[in-house]
Amino acid sequence: MPGTPEHHVVMWSGGITSWATARHVIARHGTEDVTLLFADTLIEDEDLYAFNEQASAQLGVPITRVADGRDPWQVFEDARWLGNTRIAQCSHELKQKPCREWLNANTDPTTTTVYVGIDWTETHRLPAIVRGWAPWPVEAPLTEPPWYDKQRLIAEARDAGLPESKLYRLGFAHNNCGGSCVKGGQAQWVRVLKVFPERYARAEAAEIKMRALLGKDVSILRDRTGGSTKPLTLAALRARVENEPDQLDLFDEGGCGCFTDLAA
């Protein structure tokens, strides 16, 4: 309808690309009709919440928080399926569903645009994202020129007065789930073991519990050595770090894609 205000909803993860996406949207549309929608998984690093607060003040838009009330490990138990590098239902339950419920309750798809923080290296994900968020239209400003990498965006955030988030400083590829994303790969988990041993221990215990609950040889990670693929538990990975570091696949590192790997 002519004259109806447009609503701009940025899927806010607390990562640098969601900040850069929000900055782009605000520069184009102002702050009045922008929402920064943050789905809390309850296992985020404490530094992410500090970044959210400071970034919100810098951008001039409050963070709108939604939460399922469970963390990923509780989701896996309820689903009786251990999230892994291929399938992680925690994304759907803790990110996508709460955000869609908020959109249903607070927006009209005919006047609302959803923005996601994928960049130019992830344009192949865009068709699935568009289908997943339908009927809301989707835009991904960072897939368009000028094309910046994360280090450039981190530097620009620093120039804007924001600190670099701790997980980025420690070498993590993303700033979500306290660095403990089940899709993160061996390299991520080796880093978690070294810098957050208590988080690694919690994940290892949760994996052991799920294996006992299901009575199956399941694991978060996969072992591709020897030409075949088989389960690799966090306990086994820890033993390799301690005893067989040459058996580690430190090129196996990924990210969650919580707002991009959408179920239709």
Side-chain angles (χ1 to χ4, degrees):
M1 183 189 313
T4 301
E6 294 185 359
H7 193 175
H8 307 280
V9 179
V10 178
M11 293 301 169
W12 180 274
S13 68
I16 194 62
T17 56
S18 61
W19 171 80
T21 299
R23 180 184 60 167
H24 177 95
V25 173
I26 289 168
R28 179 174 292 180
H29 302 287
T31 61
E32 185 175 353
D33 296 307
V34 172
T35 297
L36 307 180
L37 188 58
F38 169 59
D40 193 344
T41 66
L42 305 185
I43 62 165
E44 306 294 349
D45 188 86
E46 62 276 5
D47 191 64
L48 178 140
Y49 300 109
F51 178 82
N52 279 1
E53 183 176 343
Q54 294 174 69
S56 170
Q58 182 264 329
L59 292 168
V61 178
I63 301 289
T64 298
R65 175 185 177 272
V66 293
D68 171 271
R70 298 174 293 172
D71 66 20
W73 311 114
Q74 293 168 309
V75 169
F76 300 152
E77 285 193 39
D78 291 344
R80 297 185 65 84
W81 178 281
L82 179 62
N84 54 60
T85 52
R86 293 161 294 168
I87 300 174
Q89 62 274 47
C90 50
S91 297
H92 180 64
E93 294 294 328
L94 303 184
K95 294 275 190 174
Q96 297 155 16
K97 281 180 65 175
C99 287
R100 181 172 283 273
E101 288 170 2
W102 187 92
L103 287 170
N104 279 325
N106 295 278
T107 71
D108 179 346
T110 65
T111 57
T112 302
T113 301
V114 168
Y115 299 85
V116 294
I118 65 168
D119 65 20
W120 56 276
T121 67
E122 304 170 295
T123 54
H124 60 284
R125 293 182 173 182
L126 198 51
I129 297 171
V130 171
R131 291 194 302 270
W133 285 114
W136 288 270
V138 173
E139 293 186 17
L142 300 186
T143 63
E144 304 167 359
W147 296 304
Y148 295 158
D149 62 19
K150 280 189 176 181
Q151 291 308 310
R152 170 69 178 269
L153 297 177
I154 288 171
E156 291 188 354
R158 190 184 304 118
D159 290 342
L162 298 174
E164 183 176 353
S165 294
K166 179 171 64 179
L167 292 186
Y168 291 136
R169 295 198 307 271
L170 293 172
F172 287 87
H174 56 85
N175 189 33
N176 306 113
C177 290
S180 302
C181 176
V182 293
K183 286 191 171 184
Q186 292 183 36
Q188 174 209 263
W189 284 103
V190 170
R191 189 174 292 111
V192 173
L193 178 62
K194 290 179 178 179
V195 299
F196 298 123
E198 73 290 347
R199 297 181 191 178
Y200 193 98
R202 181 187 179 191
E204 183 179 328
E207 184 181 62
I208 290 170
K209 182 178 181 181
M210 283 296 296
R211 286 168 60 86
L213 176 68
L214 299 175
K216 296 179 180 179
D217 183 19
V218 295
S219 65
I220 294 169
L221 299 171
R222 291 177 288 174
D223 181 0
R224 299 181 180 87
T225 59
S228 62
T229 300
K230 48 191 176 295
L232 175 64
T233 66
L234 292 179
L237 179 66
R238 177 170 49 79
R240 285 189 183 179
V241 171
E242 295 168 353
N243 303 308
E244 301 176 278
D246 58 323
Q247 295 296 311
L248 301 174
D249 182 0
L250 296 183
F251 293 101
D252 178 22
E253 184 159 15
C256 59
C258 286
F259 291 119
T260 59
D261 299 329
L262 289 164

